[in-house]
Amino acid sequence: MSDDIIRSGSCLCGGVQFRVTGEPLRVGLCHCKDCRKTSGSAYQAFAVWPRQAFESTGITNTYGRRSFCPTCGSRLPTVGEEEVEVMIGGLDVAPTEGLEPSYELWIGRREHWLHSLPEARQFEHDRTVDDSAADDGEPEAGRGPYRRSA
C-alpha cells in the first residue's frame, strides 16, 4: 500500500484528524434535505472508501449516524461497518485531485440554478447498489449499503 494515494483531513479546530488510503469506491453529490441541513449548503460532496482504508484520531460525537467534532462542530466522516463516507470539504488539500463525482442523488431537490454534472449518473432518490443498473427507485441486492435520506 506504500504507493497508494493518502489523503488527510481534519475538523476545523484540528482536534480530530483522519486519513484515507487509496482510491475511493465512489464519489457523489447529494441534494437531499438531510445533507443540505447538515452541510449548511445546497448539496453535499462526498467520497466513500472501504472501512479498512480509514484511520482517525480524536474524540467525536454523533447525531443519528453523522459524526462531528464536539469542540468546533465540524462534520466528520461517517464510519460504517464496511464503508466510510468522507465529506470532500473536510480534506486538507483543496482542490482535491481525482475526486470527481460520478453520480448525483435526490436531483429533484437540486436548486434550479445548479446544473447537473456532465456525465454523472442522476438518481431521483437514493443510489441503487449496482451503479450499472437502471434507476427504478428501488435498492438492489448486492455489494453494500446505499444512502437513505430525504
Side-chain angles (χ1 to χ4, degrees), residues 1 3 46 50 73 82 90 99 105 110-111 123 144:
M1 267 175 101
D3 293 334
F46 59 91
E82 296 181 19
L99 298 182
L105 303 172
R110 181 175 43 223
E111 294 291 339
F123 291 91

Side-chain angles (χ1 to χ4, degrees), residues 30-64:
C30 187
H31 303 277
C32 81
K33 181 179 73 174
D34 291 355
C35 286
R36 291 168 63 103
K37 293 280 187 180
T38 60
S39 70
S41 184
Y43 62 89
Q44 180 170 277
F46 59 91
V48 177
W49 274 269
R51 172 67 181 89
Q52 65 269 19
F54 175 78
E55 299 175 14
S56 69
T57 61
I59 298 170
T60 64
N61 280 351
T62 59
Y63 178 80

Side-chain angles (χ1 to χ4, degrees), residues 21-144:
T21 303
E23 294 299 330
L25 299 171
R26 59 189 178 275
V27 181
L29 296 182
C30 187
H31 303 277
C32 81
K33 181 179 73 174
D34 291 355
C35 286
R36 291 168 63 103
K37 293 280 187 180
T38 60
S39 70
S41 184
Y43 62 89
Q44 180 170 277
F46 59 91
V48 177
W49 274 269
R51 172 67 181 89
Q52 65 269 19
F54 175 78
E55 299 175 14
S56 69
T57 61
I59 298 170
T60 64
N61 280 351
T62 59
Y63 178 80
R65 295 183 323 161
R66 299 174 191 261
S67 299
F68 62 93
C69 173
T71 302
C72 67
S74 296
R75 273 292 310 276
L76 295 167
T78 300
V79 180
E81 288 182 31
E82 296 181 19
E83 297 179 337
V84 176
E85 180 182 85
V86 175
M87 279 53 64
I88 292 175
L91 295 170
D92 292 332
V93 175
T96 56
E97 190 172 320
L99 298 182
E100 187 171 326
S102 62
Y103 64 99
E104 291 188 73
L105 303 172
W106 289 86
I107 60 171
R109 292 182 182 259
R110 181 175 43 223
E111 294 291 339
H112 69 88
W113 41 266
L114 288 172
H115 302 285
S116 61
L117 292 174
E119 317 244 345
R121 187 130 184 252
Q122 304 294 305
F123 291 91
E124 199 57 45
H125 299 289
D126 293 326
R127 179 184 73 83
T128 56
V129 175
D130 181 5
D131 283 348
S132 64
D135 181 25
D136 59 6
E138 294 296 319
E140 298 177 12
R143 295 185 287 137

